[in-house]
Amino acid sequence: KKSDTSAPNGYWYDEDAAEKAVGFFSRYLRHVKGELAGQKLVLQEWAANEIVRPLFGWKRPDGLRKFRTVYVEVPRKNAKSTIAAGIGLYLTFADREPGAEVVSAAADRDQAAIVFDVAKTMVEEEPALRKRALVFRRSIAIRETNSSYKVISADAYTKHGLNLHGIIFDELH
């Protein structure tokens, strides 16, 4: 559904796309750590309105997403890893990109694994996602779309040839 909200240069807001992305979190994902572990992952308003809706709702005139890069910096204990994992899983499972390659990256593999491990646990704990996926130690593969979500380090010299649909880069600073 094309919203009446439009911006200069032909950009437009796709309310359906934005709500589909926000809804993915509460429908398929659960918190995996802390006091909320096991509860549905309902995004806080700031995360839904400032990150997820703009990222997936704003479109270019050709219908592709307006934003290709999102930088999020908030204080500790604001669910950054949880939100990042959810975005990675949305890109992998629900973005309708055949052969989507999504990665969690960081300066080293252990740091990159923090977000990936949250995503992996989310998949393992959700039957609707688990039945579509092959879950391995450092990757999740979706058979029906030939898509994957992997953990990698940021060693640039080893990453040639990747055709990435999404990069979740933790601790970019």
Side-chain angles (χ1 to χ4, degrees), residues 128-147:
L129 298 181
R130 189 177 61 239
K131 75 179 183 182
R132 294 178 56 201
L134 297 171
V135 180
F136 302 101
R137 184 170 168 254
R138 292 290 179 237
S139 68
I140 300 166
I142 314 303
R143 296 173 291 231
E144 67 202 53
T145 61
N146 196 31
S147 298

Side-chain angles (χ1 to χ4, degrees), residues 35-49:
E35 64 186 40
L36 298 176
Q39 295 181 26
K40 287 185 175 184
L41 202 174
V42 177
L43 289 170
Q44 292 181 16
E45 283 301 308
W46 69 266
N49 292 334

Side-chain angles (χ1 to χ4, degrees), residues 11 51-72 87 91 95 97 101-103 162-169 172:
Y11 293 117
I51 301 171
V52 178
R53 283 188 179 105
L55 175 60
F56 293 99
W58 279 104
K59 302 290 178 82
R60 302 183 325 196
D62 62 7
L64 296 177
R65 280 195 286 273
K66 176 182 179 182
F67 300 111
R68 296 174 49 110
T69 302
V70 175
Y71 179 82
V72 177
I87 290 171
L91 291 170
D95 206 28
E97 175 75 16
E101 294 179 32
V102 179
V103 298
L162 295 177
N163 183 17
L164 298 177
H165 181 59
I167 302 169
I168 308 298
F169 203 114
L172 181 62

Side-chain angles (χ1 to χ4, degrees), residues 11-136:
Y11 293 117
W12 56 281
Y13 188 76
D14 184 341
E15 189 174 338
D16 288 344
E19 294 311 312
K20 178 184 172 200
V22 169
F24 177 84
F25 281 76
S26 60
R27 183 172 181 187
Y28 295 108
L29 305 179
R30 295 187 178 276
H31 289 276
V32 298
K33 292 183 178 183
E35 64 186 40
L36 298 176
Q39 295 181 26
K40 287 185 175 184
L41 202 174
V42 177
L43 289 170
Q44 292 181 16
E45 283 301 308
W46 69 266
N49 292 334
E50 302 297 325
I51 301 171
V52 178
R53 283 188 179 105
L55 175 60
F56 293 99
W58 279 104
K59 302 290 178 82
R60 302 183 325 196
D62 62 7
L64 296 177
R65 280 195 286 273
K66 176 182 179 182
F67 300 111
R68 296 174 49 110
T69 302
V70 175
Y71 179 82
V72 177
E73 185 172 334
V74 294
R76 292 177 50 87
K77 297 297 186 184
N78 276 285
K80 289 185 302 288
S81 296
T82 300
I83 295 165
I87 290 171
L89 290 173
Y90 183 83
L91 291 170
T92 307
F93 281 89
D95 206 28
R96 295 187 176 140
E97 175 75 16
E101 294 179 32
V102 179
V103 298
S104 282
D108 64 65
R109 190 177 294 254
D110 290 339
Q111 182 68 42
I114 292 171
V115 171
F116 177 81
D117 288 343
V118 170
K120 177 181 164 185
T121 303
M122 288 174 171
V123 171
E124 290 172 334
E125 293 183 1
E126 172 51 48
L129 298 181
R130 189 177 61 239
K131 75 179 183 182
R132 294 178 56 201
L134 297 171
V135 180
F136 302 101

